[in-house]
Amino acid sequence: MSDGDFTTMVSPEESAEDSDRPKLRRCIPAVVTVEPVLFLSMFAMALQGPLTTQYLWERLSSDLGYNGTRIQGCTNNQSSAGDPLQQEVQSLTSHWSLYINLGGFIIGVFSVMLLGPWSDKVGRRPVLILPSIGLALQAAIYLIVMYQELHVGFFLLGRFISGITGDFNMILAGCFSYIADVSDKQSRTFRVAILEACLGIAGMVASIIGGHWITAQGYINPFWMVFAVNLFTALYIYFCVQESVKDRKPSILFTYRHYKSVFHLFTEKEENNRRGKLFLYSLALLLVVTVHMGAKDLFVIYELSYPLCWHSDLIGYGSAAEHLTYLSSLAGLRLFQLCLADSWVAEMGFISNISGLIVISLAATTPIMFTGYGLRFFAMATTPVIRSKLSKLVEEDEQGALFSSMACVEGLSFLLATGVFNSLYPATLHFMKGFPFLFGALVLLIPAGIIGLIEVCEQKPTYSQFSEIS
């Protein structure tokens, strides 16, 4: 295949066709852009994630001959807590989650760094359609594994295919780049927060549905839904999403220049210490996402085992409470922006997140666990602030490169989350089961300090919603 096969050419005929496309694709109000894309993709991801973990638990339990709490019920006694077979199931489930996540994230980092800068030239729509198709193919592989009862290692093949096409990280990068294209600096933080609220609403709905669905019908039908939703998302992007990049140009996909453009963001010297701020905000995002994803991966395993011993319906409600923080954080962000600078809003988010994780680390009963979820009501106010501040540091034609690099940062976060938290959990079971959550709370002190330090160094006399926050 020649280089020309990977080049987007804009001919006069295609330009004329493009001018007609908005009329054909205007199937939604103009105020709605990529929010449904992120909603649908997150719905599929949130439906798939806990179900995959539970399938791993059930399958590995069956292989080891462990029936545990699923058959006997969960009795609050030390024999259940110290059951070596249950601990082996927990460890295997945790480690297989690590291997499956590693398989996709490593490949996805290199794909996203190609696709993100490429979208600055050819547009956002291609890099949104491609990962949606990849995620649909991943769901198809998972279905084959379940139908044929293949070894769980075949899940790695699905993650490999998804990673090549950019995975969910590319959808995130494409959607945030799109919003940066169509919003001004004053409204960007809130527009980004709306996107993140879409993540929360979709996750909440999917979690409630998934918990009851698996109880009623098992794993197969929910995964058919994941497959269908991802395919529908690709069709929605093609027919309903208008292109946000105004000056599109021909560009080769497979070229080192895309990697170079990402590297250029963090090496070029600019006024106002842009390079230093990019590094610091990227580090803050790395740590925040690492803790968020690390804790989220462990919630299901933590809830399945002694002393909580939750079943699928309670796991669904717990995941819904976790995703509800996106929506409550959006409301709180809009309220506190009236009187506080964005950075101080983020600091309040850190306080909420840290306090909730501490309570969860000590949870031995269902009410205490939900209290921890409740304390995290404002936890997701930090990431939209960080993304918005990063976006304001670069030019319009660098948004794709920036958010692809941030997708790589998040990919690295996933690696750290799965590597650190999924290894830390089985290693600390013997002295404190909730230690990984306490560890996450301590780690969050670092990004809280970074954002507070930058804000103090740039402090201005007046704090209001009309202040220009750099």
Side-chain angles (χ1 to χ4, degrees), residues 117-306:
W118 187 60
S119 72
D120 285 328
K121 307 295 183 182
V122 304
R124 311 297 181 200
R125 293 176 68 246
V127 300
L128 289 173
I129 293 174
L130 187 61
S132 298
I133 295 174
L135 289 168
L137 292 175
Q138 174 185 290
I141 297 293
Y142 281 24
L143 282 167
I144 293 173
V145 172
M146 293 176 186
Y147 271 116
Q148 300 299 320
E149 297 185 354
L150 302 177
H151 189 272
V152 295
F154 282 97
F155 280 168
L156 286 167
L157 177 60
R159 295 293 294 126
F160 180 82
I161 293 173
S162 177
I164 289 176
T165 58
D167 202 48
F168 183 67
N169 277 343
M170 191 63 247
I171 293 179
L172 282 176
C175 288
F176 286 120
S177 299
Y178 192 105
I179 289 300
D181 292 338
V182 300
S183 64
D184 55 36
K185 291 186 177 182
Q186 286 71 30
S187 63
R188 190 164 302 166
T189 300
F190 188 66
R191 289 297 301 273
V192 170
I194 291 175
L195 272 185
E196 300 219 11
C198 290
L199 295 173
I201 297 170
M204 179 176 59
V205 173
S207 298
I208 295 175
I209 292 175
H212 290 287
W213 203 346
I214 188 176
T215 301
Q217 297 183 345
Y219 299 96
I220 299 297
N221 288 341
F223 269 93
W224 273 113
M225 173 64 79
V226 172
F227 175 75
V229 167
N230 283 315
L231 276 186
F232 179 79
T233 302
L235 293 173
Y236 172 85
I237 295 166
Y238 183 80
F239 288 107
C240 297
V241 175
Q242 301 181 32
E243 185 54 67
S244 63
V245 176
K246 298 180 178 64
D247 300 321
R248 285 178 289 165
K249 303 174 183 177
S251 179
I252 298 174
L253 174 57
F254 296 113
T255 173
Y256 75 94
R257 294 188 187 92
H258 298 318
Y259 294 107
K260 186 177 179 181
S261 65
V262 174
F263 182 74
H264 178 76
L265 285 176
F266 294 90
T267 56
E268 183 182 16
K269 292 184 178 180
E270 297 281 352
E271 59 181 8
N272 297 327
N273 193 25
R274 185 183 86 161
R275 182 173 59 180
K277 293 176 185 176
L278 283 172
F279 272 115
L280 288 173
Y281 282 128
S282 299
L283 175 61
L285 184 65
L286 172 74
L287 296 175
V288 170
V289 176
T290 296
V291 172
H292 175 68
M293 295 307 302
K296 187 176 180 180
D297 281 349
L298 293 181
F299 282 150
V300 174
I301 301 175
Y302 188 72
E303 293 159 356
L304 279 169
S305 56
Y306 177 88

Side-chain angles (χ1 to χ4, degrees), residues 437-449:
F437 305 118
L438 183 61
F439 173 77
L442 295 174
V443 170
L444 287 177
L445 295 174
I446 299 174

Side-chain angles (χ1 to χ4, degrees), residues 91-107:
S91 297
L92 282 174
T93 304
S94 178
H95 284 122
W96 270 111
S97 295
L98 168 63
Y99 304 147
I100 292 168
N101 286 332
L102 281 174
F105 295 144
I106 292 176
I107 300 168

Side-chain angles (χ1 to χ4, degrees), residues 55-65 89 92-93 96 152:
Y55 179 81
L56 288 172
W57 176 282
E58 296 281 4
R59 181 65 184 275
L60 293 170
S61 295
S62 176
D63 291 344
L64 292 173
V89 171
L92 282 174
T93 304
W96 270 111
V152 295

